[in-house]
Amino acid sequence: MEVGVTSHFIKRSKRLSAKERNLLDQKTTIFQNNPRDIRLKTHQLGGKLREYMAFSLTRCKRVKFILVERDRALFVDVGTHDEVY
């Protein structure tokens, strides 16, 4: 899976701790190999965000993304449940 990122995602990812940024790198690699890997807990969002999906970065933080094409995703946001949703 090819992954792109928005400028908003880059800005928000800079706010993560060093440990969380390292974890983001690891989870991005997992995502690229298999976006539905059970370790990611990938899920479709609902309501007004139903066009988006998300996966877990930590217990409290998520990565929100959209599928641009079958094999391309765009990471849109990263943060806590309240911040991302």
Side-chain angles (χ1 to χ4, degrees), residues 9 20 36 38-39 41 51-52 62 65 76:
F9 178 86
E20 290 169 332
R36 296 283 185 179
I38 195 165
R39 294 172 287 182
K41 300 178 184 159
E51 66 187 77
Y52 296 97
R62 313 281 186 269
F65 66 94
V76 177

Side-chain angles (χ1 to χ4, degrees), residues 14-73:
K14 289 179 181 177
R15 297 181 187 171
L16 298 173
S17 69
K19 184 177 179 180
E20 290 169 332
R21 283 193 301 273
N22 185 39
L23 187 58
L24 177 61
D25 290 341
Q26 292 173 24
K27 296 244 178 159
T28 298
T29 300
I30 293 168
F31 182 88
Q32 289 172 318
N33 290 320
N34 179 7
R36 296 283 185 179
D37 190 297
I38 195 165
R39 294 172 287 182
L40 298 174
K41 300 178 184 159
T42 305
H43 57 283
Q44 187 76 41
L45 300 180
K48 64 182 181 178
L49 298 175
R50 66 180 170 264
E51 66 187 77
Y52 296 97
M53 298 182 76
F55 67 82
S56 297
L57 181 59
T58 66
R59 264 185 100 212
C60 301
K61 300 214 173 156
R62 313 281 186 269
V63 172
K64 182 171 77 172
F65 66 94
I66 189 166
L67 291 175
V68 180
E69 294 177 6
R70 187 171 180 257
D71 61 345
R72 285 187 50 214

